[in-house]
Each structure stands twice: as C-alpha cells, then as structure tokens.
Amino acid sequence: MSTARVLLIGAGALVGALLLTGCGPSPDKLQIEAQQERINQLMAENDDLRSRLARAISDRDAARARAAALEQQIADLRRQLAEKPAPEGPPGWETSGPYAWTTLSTDFLFDSGKATLRPAAREKLQQVVSEIQANFPDKMIWVLGHTDNDPIRVTKNLWADNLDLSCNRGMTVYRELMKLGMSPDRMMAGGQGEWYPRASNSSKAGKQQNRRVEIIAVPSRGAPSEPVPAPGTAAPTESGALQMK
C-alpha cells in the first residue's frame, strides 16, 4: 500500500472519530435554540396582546367619555325644559298641555232663556276667531253650552230642558263662528246643560259662573287619547266619550 493511500485512510478515520466524539451541534444546544425560538415567539405574541389591550382600553375610555357627554347633554336638556316657562295662550285663554280654552258668559251672549245672540256678542266672537286663527290654526274647536240648574220658566215652550237650551246656544255660537271665518270641518258643537257646573249652584254668583259657553281648542287628530283637562274637570266615560265640565 502506498504511503499516500495510507495517509488518506488515516485522515478519513480521524474525521470519523471527530464526528463520533461531538464536534457537530449537540442535542442540548439544539434544544436550547428551540426553546429560545419559542421564547421569542411568545414575547412577540405578548407584545401583540399588550398592544391590543391598550387599544381596547383606549376605545373603552373614549366610549365612557362619549357616554358622559351624552348624559351631560340630557341633563342640560332636562334643566332647560324645567326652566322653560309653560306656553301661554292669548289673554282670556287658559292652557294645559296641548289644550286651550276660553269661557264666555251666556249672560253676555244671550238674553235669559234664549239662544239668539245679542248684537254686542258678535264683536266678542270676532275677537275669539282672530285669537283662534293666530294661536291655534291647526286645532279642532269644540263649542259647548252650559246652564245653571234653574228650570226654564219664561221660555219653557221653546226648550225641553236645560240640556236642550245649552245645545242650541252652543250651535248658535258655532254658526256665528262659521260666519266669521271658521271652517265648519274643524268645529263641533254641543251642550251639557246643568250637569257640569264650574261652581256651586247654591248662590247667585255660582249660578252666573255656570251659565257659560266654552270654546275649547284640542288636538286635531281625532278625539284626544287622554281626558281633556279643561275647563273645570274632565274624565272619560266608560264608553270612551269625553265629559267636559
């Protein structure tokens, strides 16, 4: 065997021996590198989670700020509503919510026991029409007659009772309002006789208050769903009809 060949064989044996003795990467080193790679991956995931948590906290704080601003706006609106004075009708009218009414004495409008307007009453009714057109242009107008509880004497041949008289007086005022420019399709007329007094009929002063015609402005979309609070008192009947006092 030549010397060169002997040397070549010896070198190969030496390399094999070195490989067998651990000159390449050891298993522990490979395990450490794998663990380090996993640690780096977990740290990257942790950083991502921290970033997402920070965004979530920021979004939460912004939502809380918007909610606080909205609550403040609501509180301000409530305060403004509480401070805002209730809407008032024209002089001589009373109001409650969407309702308004004025009361005219029948002692001024009519002679005792009659349903024919006195000449001076027409000027007052013209004023009422002007007030309605200026202040309640979109509302229905109810015209209701009322009497005291005294029986009809002088003109008892004309009326069946106080209810009959009050209805005719209401219709007389209705017709006059129509002549003065009120559209009939936004008015109703009726009477309630002696049954809904504003005051006690035990005195002359009380009876005078009860002899009246009420002109009432109500929401125009059909009959109200709640009792009309004017004038005096009002309550729904069992059938749903409204009783005005």
Side-chain angles (χ1 to χ4, degrees):
M1 181 180 296
S2 66
T3 303
R5 188 175 181 180
V6 171
L7 291 173
L8 180 61
I9 292 172
L14 179 60
V15 170
L18 289 173
L19 290 173
L20 290 174
T21 57
C23 289
S26 67
D28 289 344
K29 184 177 181 180
L30 292 175
Q31 185 177 6
I32 290 172
E33 290 176 351
Q35 290 176 347
Q36 185 62 48
E37 183 178 354
R38 179 58 179 161
I39 289 172
N40 292 339
Q41 181 182 0
L42 291 173
M43 290 179 66
E45 292 177 356
N46 184 58
D47 290 341
D48 181 62
L49 289 173
R50 287 177 180 274
S51 177
R52 288 157 57 185
L53 178 60
R55 289 196 300 270
I57 292 174
S58 177
D59 291 344
R60 180 205 63 187
D61 292 342
R64 286 179 174 176
R66 290 194 298 269
L70 182 59
E71 289 178 358
Q72 184 61 48
Q73 290 178 7
I74 294 173
D76 291 342
L77 287 174
R78 286 176 174 169
R79 177 180 52 78
Q80 291 172 14
L81 289 173
E83 294 174 354
K84 184 178 180 180
E88 297 181 358
W93 289 74
E94 300 176 71
T95 61
S96 179
Y99 308 99
W101 63 95
T102 188
T103 302
L104 305 177
S105 170
T106 54
D107 291 355
F108 169 75
L109 297 174
F110 306 101
D111 291 328
S112 178
K114 295 184 179 180
T116 302
L117 281 175
R118 290 177 171 176
R122 290 182 171 85
E123 182 178 351
K124 176 61 178 177
L125 293 179
Q126 178 64 74
Q127 176 186 336
V128 169
V129 169
S130 299
E131 292 167 349
I132 292 172
Q133 292 173 338
N135 297 275
F136 316 110
D138 299 324
K139 292 193 174 183
M140 285 288 295
I141 302 300
W142 293 358
V143 184
L144 298 179
H146 299 267
T147 69
D148 59 26
N149 66 346
D150 286 344
I152 300 172
R153 295 184 177 88
V154 177
T155 58
K156 61 181 180 181
N157 61 310
L158 299 178
W159 320 113
D161 50 26
N162 280 325
L163 179 60
D164 188 17
L165 174 60
S166 69
C167 287
N168 276 273
R169 284 177 167 176
M171 288 187 289
T172 296
V173 173
Y174 174 105
R175 290 190 179 96
E176 187 62 26
L177 295 179
M178 187 170 60
K179 291 177 184 178
L180 294 171
M182 290 292 300
S183 176
D185 61 3
R186 58 178 294 210
M187 292 196 297
M188 291 192 299
Q192 295 183 298
E194 63 199 70
W195 304 113
Y196 295 97
R198 296 190 72 183
S200 171
N201 280 303
S202 60
S203 68
K204 289 184 177 180
K207 289 181 178 181
Q208 185 176 27
Q209 290 185 57
N210 295 332
R211 297 190 297 268
R212 68 199 190 276
V213 171
E214 294 165 346
I215 299 177
I216 310 163
V218 304
S220 60
R221 291 180 294 178
S225 59
E226 60 185 75
V228 179
T233 60
T237 64
E238 293 182 357
S239 64
L242 289 169
Q243 297 179 340
M244 300 297 303
K245 294 185 180 181

